[in-house]
mmCIF file of all heavy atoms in Angstrom:
data_model
loop_
_atom_site.group_PDB
_atom_site.id
_atom_site.type_symbol
_atom_site.label_atom_id
_atom_site.label_comp_id
_atom_site.label_asym_id
_atom_site.label_seq_id
_atom_site.Cartn_x
_atom_site.Cartn_y
_atom_site.Cartn_z
ATOM 1 N N ARG A 693 -4.101 -0.167 2.982
ATOM 2 C CA ARG A 693 -5.234 -0.990 3.421
ATOM 3 C C ARG A 693 -4.856 -2.465 3.524
ATOM 4 O O ARG A 693 -5.225 -3.161 4.472
ATOM 5 C CB ARG A 693 -6.380 -0.858 2.422
ATOM 6 C CG ARG A 693 -7.658 -0.185 2.887
ATOM 7 C CD ARG A 693 -8.124 -0.516 4.250
ATOM 8 N NE ARG A 693 -8.983 -1.689 4.310
ATOM 9 C CZ ARG A 693 -10.221 -1.734 3.864
ATOM 10 N NH1 ARG A 693 -10.782 -0.686 3.341
ATOM 11 N NH2 ARG A 693 -10.925 -2.848 3.958
ATOM 12 N N LEU A 697 -4.099 -5.130 7.447
ATOM 13 C CA LEU A 697 -4.756 -6.374 7.894
ATOM 14 C C LEU A 697 -3.931 -7.107 8.943
ATOM 15 O O LEU A 697 -4.405 -7.317 10.053
ATOM 16 C CB LEU A 697 -5.024 -7.296 6.701
ATOM 17 C CG LEU A 697 -6.066 -6.835 5.695
ATOM 18 C CD1 LEU A 697 -6.195 -7.860 4.578
ATOM 19 C CD2 LEU A 697 -7.403 -6.660 6.381
ATOM 20 N N TYR A 765 -10.134 -9.073 11.931
ATOM 21 C CA TYR A 765 -9.631 -9.612 10.674
ATOM 22 C C TYR A 765 -10.786 -9.950 9.740
ATOM 23 O O TYR A 765 -10.753 -9.679 8.551
ATOM 24 C CB TYR A 765 -8.780 -10.861 10.938
ATOM 25 C CG TYR A 765 -7.766 -11.077 9.857
ATOM 26 C CD1 TYR A 765 -6.474 -10.574 9.995
ATOM 27 C CD2 TYR A 765 -8.091 -11.738 8.681
ATOM 28 C CE1 TYR A 765 -5.548 -10.725 8.996
ATOM 29 C CE2 TYR A 765 -7.158 -11.890 7.671
ATOM 30 C CZ TYR A 765 -5.887 -11.384 7.837
ATOM 31 O OH TYR A 765 -4.968 -11.526 6.838
ATOM 32 N N THR A 766 -11.810 -10.533 10.337
ATOM 33 C CA THR A 766 -12.970 -10.901 9.532
ATOM 34 C C THR A 766 -13.639 -9.665 8.930
ATOM 35 O O THR A 766 -14.084 -9.688 7.788
ATOM 36 C CB THR A 766 -13.986 -11.648 10.406
ATOM 37 O OG1 THR A 766 -13.272 -12.578 11.195
ATOM 38 C CG2 THR A 766 -14.993 -12.378 9.569
ATOM 39 N N CYS A 767 -13.691 -8.598 9.721
ATOM 40 C CA CYS A 767 -14.356 -7.399 9.213
ATOM 41 C C CYS A 767 -13.527 -6.726 8.131
ATOM 42 O O CYS A 767 -14.058 -6.153 7.199
ATOM 43 C CB CYS A 767 -14.580 -6.388 10.335
ATOM 44 S SG CYS A 767 -15.823 -6.919 11.467
ATOM 45 N N LEU A 768 -12.212 -6.779 8.274
ATOM 46 C CA LEU A 768 -11.375 -6.009 7.360
ATOM 47 C C LEU A 768 -11.016 -6.768 6.101
ATOM 48 O O LEU A 768 -10.719 -6.174 5.082
ATOM 49 C CB LEU A 768 -10.082 -5.584 8.078
ATOM 50 C CG LEU A 768 -10.295 -4.558 9.190
ATOM 51 C CD1 LEU A 768 -9.016 -4.332 9.958
ATOM 52 C CD2 LEU A 768 -10.778 -3.248 8.579
ATOM 53 N N ASP A 769 -11.031 -8.074 6.154
ATOM 54 C CA ASP A 769 -10.617 -8.833 4.989
ATOM 55 C C ASP A 769 -11.831 -9.438 4.301
ATOM 56 O O ASP A 769 -12.415 -10.397 4.789
ATOM 57 C CB ASP A 769 -9.647 -9.941 5.399
ATOM 58 C CG ASP A 769 -8.997 -10.576 4.181
ATOM 59 O OD1 ASP A 769 -9.560 -10.424 3.078
ATOM 60 O OD2 ASP A 769 -7.953 -11.211 4.326
ATOM 61 N N PRO A 770 -12.202 -8.880 3.166
ATOM 62 C CA PRO A 770 -13.412 -9.364 2.495
ATOM 63 C C PRO A 770 -13.316 -10.838 2.092
ATOM 64 O O PRO A 770 -14.340 -11.507 1.962
ATOM 65 C CB PRO A 770 -13.521 -8.470 1.256
ATOM 66 C CG PRO A 770 -12.201 -7.831 1.094
ATOM 67 C CD PRO A 770 -11.568 -7.794 2.436
ATOM 68 N N ARG A 771 -12.113 -11.332 1.915
ATOM 69 C CA ARG A 771 -11.977 -12.734 1.504
ATOM 70 C C ARG A 771 -12.494 -13.674 2.571
ATOM 71 O O ARG A 771 -12.954 -14.763 2.291
ATOM 72 C CB ARG A 771 -10.508 -13.054 1.212
ATOM 73 C CG ARG A 771 -10.057 -12.540 -0.116
ATOM 74 C CD ARG A 771 -8.569 -12.463 -0.190
ATOM 75 N NE ARG A 771 -8.044 -11.462 0.721
ATOM 76 C CZ ARG A 771 -6.786 -11.065 0.726
ATOM 77 N NH1 ARG A 771 -5.922 -11.593 -0.097
ATOM 78 N NH2 ARG A 771 -6.384 -10.143 1.574
ATOM 79 N N ILE A 772 -12.397 -13.253 3.831
ATOM 80 C CA ILE A 772 -12.890 -14.103 4.912
ATOM 81 C C ILE A 772 -14.358 -13.849 5.159
ATOM 82 O O ILE A 772 -15.134 -14.746 5.404
ATOM 83 C CB ILE A 772 -12.080 -13.844 6.198
ATOM 84 C CG1 ILE A 772 -10.646 -14.256 5.940
ATOM 85 C CG2 ILE A 772 -12.661 -14.614 7.370
ATOM 86 C CD1 ILE A 772 -9.731 -13.968 7.078
ATOM 87 N N ARG A 773 -14.734 -12.594 5.021
ATOM 88 C CA ARG A 773 -16.093 -12.192 5.355
ATOM 89 C C ARG A 773 -17.135 -13.032 4.639
ATOM 90 O O ARG A 773 -18.167 -13.362 5.170
ATOM 91 C CB ARG A 773 -16.272 -10.729 4.995
ATOM 92 C CG ARG A 773 -17.287 -10.023 5.853
ATOM 93 C CD ARG A 773 -17.525 -8.634 5.344
ATOM 94 N NE ARG A 773 -16.292 -7.847 5.255
ATOM 95 C CZ ARG A 773 -16.224 -6.705 4.576
ATOM 96 N NH1 ARG A 773 -17.276 -6.246 3.942
ATOM 97 N NH2 ARG A 773 -15.092 -6.038 4.532
ATOM 98 N N TYR A 774 -16.858 -13.366 3.393
ATOM 99 C CA TYR A 774 -17.903 -14.020 2.609
ATOM 100 C C TYR A 774 -17.799 -15.533 2.584
ATOM 101 O O TYR A 774 -18.545 -16.189 1.907
ATOM 102 C CB TYR A 774 -17.882 -13.466 1.182
ATOM 103 C CG TYR A 774 -18.476 -12.097 1.106
ATOM 104 C CD1 TYR A 774 -17.684 -10.979 1.296
ATOM 105 C CD2 TYR A 774 -19.835 -11.924 0.887
ATOM 106 C CE1 TYR A 774 -18.230 -9.717 1.250
ATOM 107 C CE2 TYR A 774 -20.384 -10.676 0.834
ATOM 108 C CZ TYR A 774 -19.584 -9.564 1.023
ATOM 109 O OH TYR A 774 -20.127 -8.330 0.979
ATOM 110 N N GLU A 775 -16.832 -16.051 3.322
ATOM 111 C CA GLU A 775 -16.667 -17.499 3.220
ATOM 112 C C GLU A 775 -17.533 -18.227 4.213
ATOM 113 O O GLU A 775 -17.937 -17.685 5.208
ATOM 114 C CB GLU A 775 -15.202 -17.873 3.409
ATOM 115 C CG GLU A 775 -14.541 -18.076 2.057
ATOM 116 C CD GLU A 775 -13.035 -17.863 2.121
ATOM 117 O OE1 GLU A 775 -12.442 -18.119 3.178
ATOM 118 O OE2 GLU A 775 -12.478 -17.417 1.115
ATOM 119 N N ASP C 400 -6.917 -5.452 -6.480
ATOM 120 C CA ASP C 400 -6.714 -5.296 -5.045
ATOM 121 C C ASP C 400 -7.788 -6.083 -4.291
ATOM 122 O O ASP C 400 -8.982 -5.822 -4.472
ATOM 123 C CB ASP C 400 -6.780 -3.812 -4.698
ATOM 124 C CG ASP C 400 -6.372 -3.540 -3.258
ATOM 125 O OD1 ASP C 400 -6.580 -4.434 -2.408
ATOM 126 O OD2 ASP C 400 -5.859 -2.453 -2.973
ATOM 127 N N PRO C 401 -7.386 -7.044 -3.454
ATOM 128 C CA PRO C 401 -8.375 -7.917 -2.798
ATOM 129 C C PRO C 401 -9.297 -7.224 -1.812
ATOM 130 O O PRO C 401 -10.342 -7.771 -1.481
ATOM 131 C CB PRO C 401 -7.514 -8.954 -2.080
ATOM 132 C CG PRO C 401 -6.177 -8.316 -1.930
ATOM 133 C CD PRO C 401 -6.012 -7.424 -3.115
ATOM 134 N N VAL C 402 -8.946 -6.040 -1.330
ATOM 135 C CA VAL C 402 -9.770 -5.463 -0.260
ATOM 136 C C VAL C 402 -10.706 -4.349 -0.709
ATOM 137 O O VAL C 402 -11.390 -3.758 0.117
ATOM 138 C CB VAL C 402 -8.913 -4.984 0.935
ATOM 139 C CG1 VAL C 402 -8.075 -6.120 1.478
ATOM 140 C CG2 VAL C 402 -8.060 -3.808 0.566
ATOM 141 N N PHE C 403 -10.748 -4.068 -2.006
ATOM 142 C CA PHE C 403 -11.717 -3.077 -2.481
ATOM 143 C C PHE C 403 -12.690 -3.731 -3.454
ATOM 144 O O PHE C 403 -12.332 -4.678 -4.153
ATOM 145 C CB PHE C 403 -11.012 -1.910 -3.163
ATOM 146 C CG PHE C 403 -10.224 -1.063 -2.208
ATOM 147 C CD1 PHE C 403 -8.853 -1.222 -2.088
ATOM 148 C CD2 PHE C 403 -10.855 -0.132 -1.405
ATOM 149 C CE1 PHE C 403 -8.121 -0.454 -1.191
ATOM 150 C CE2 PHE C 403 -10.133 0.640 -0.510
ATOM 151 C CZ PHE C 403 -8.773 0.474 -0.396
ATOM 152 N N THR C 404 -13.919 -3.202 -3.496
ATOM 153 C CA THR C 404 -14.902 -3.771 -4.427
ATOM 154 C C THR C 404 -14.451 -3.477 -5.854
ATOM 155 O O THR C 404 -13.746 -2.499 -6.108
ATOM 156 C CB THR C 404 -16.285 -3.144 -4.222
ATOM 157 O OG1 THR C 404 -16.200 -1.750 -4.492
ATOM 158 C CG2 THR C 404 -16.793 -3.361 -2.810
ATOM 159 N N TYR C 447 -16.300 -8.334 -4.302
ATOM 160 C CA TYR C 447 -14.843 -8.269 -4.214
ATOM 161 C C TYR C 447 -14.199 -9.232 -5.215
ATOM 162 O O TYR C 447 -14.834 -10.207 -5.633
ATOM 163 C CB TYR C 447 -14.397 -8.626 -2.793
ATOM 164 C CG TYR C 447 -14.779 -7.550 -1.802
ATOM 165 C CD1 TYR C 447 -16.005 -7.578 -1.154
ATOM 166 C CD2 TYR C 447 -13.912 -6.491 -1.550
ATOM 167 C CE1 TYR C 447 -16.369 -6.582 -0.271
ATOM 168 C CE2 TYR C 447 -14.257 -5.484 -0.666
ATOM 169 C CZ TYR C 447 -15.483 -5.534 -0.027
ATOM 170 O OH TYR C 447 -15.839 -4.540 0.835
ATOM 171 N N PRO C 448 -12.945 -8.982 -5.581
ATOM 172 C CA PRO C 448 -12.292 -9.802 -6.602
ATOM 173 C C PRO C 448 -12.384 -11.310 -6.362
ATOM 174 O O PRO C 448 -12.572 -12.065 -7.313
ATOM 175 C CB PRO C 448 -10.848 -9.328 -6.560
ATOM 176 C CG PRO C 448 -10.929 -7.922 -6.117
ATOM 177 C CD PRO C 448 -12.096 -7.864 -5.173
ATOM 178 N N HIS C 449 -12.284 -11.741 -5.084
ATOM 179 C CA HIS C 449 -12.267 -13.189 -4.867
ATOM 180 C C HIS C 449 -13.595 -13.840 -5.219
ATOM 181 O O HIS C 449 -13.686 -15.059 -5.303
ATOM 182 C CB HIS C 449 -11.886 -13.499 -3.426
ATOM 183 C CG HIS C 449 -12.970 -13.189 -2.441
ATOM 184 N ND1 HIS C 449 -13.152 -11.937 -1.928
ATOM 185 C CD2 HIS C 449 -13.941 -13.967 -1.921
ATOM 186 C CE1 HIS C 449 -14.186 -11.946 -1.117
ATOM 187 N NE2 HIS C 449 -14.684 -13.163 -1.088
ATOM 188 N N GLN C 450 -14.632 -13.006 -5.415
ATOM 189 C CA GLN C 450 -15.930 -13.582 -5.776
ATOM 190 C C GLN C 450 -16.073 -13.744 -7.286
ATOM 191 O O GLN C 450 -17.120 -14.155 -7.761
ATOM 192 C CB GLN C 450 -17.042 -12.674 -5.233
ATOM 193 C CG GLN C 450 -17.083 -12.696 -3.724
ATOM 194 C CD GLN C 450 -17.922 -11.574 -3.169
ATOM 195 O OE1 GLN C 450 -17.524 -10.419 -3.180
ATOM 196 N NE2 GLN C 450 -19.105 -11.910 -2.697
#
Side-chain angles (χ1 to χ4, degrees):
Chain A
R693 246 319 272 289
L697 292 180
Y765 206 94
T766 316
C767 289
L768 292 173
D769 191 340
R771 282 162 293 189
I772 296 176
R773 209 186 304 166
Y774 285 89
E775 262 156 30
Chain C
D400 189 331
V402 303
F403 291 100
T404 62
Y447 290 89
H449 73 276
Q450 292 166 286

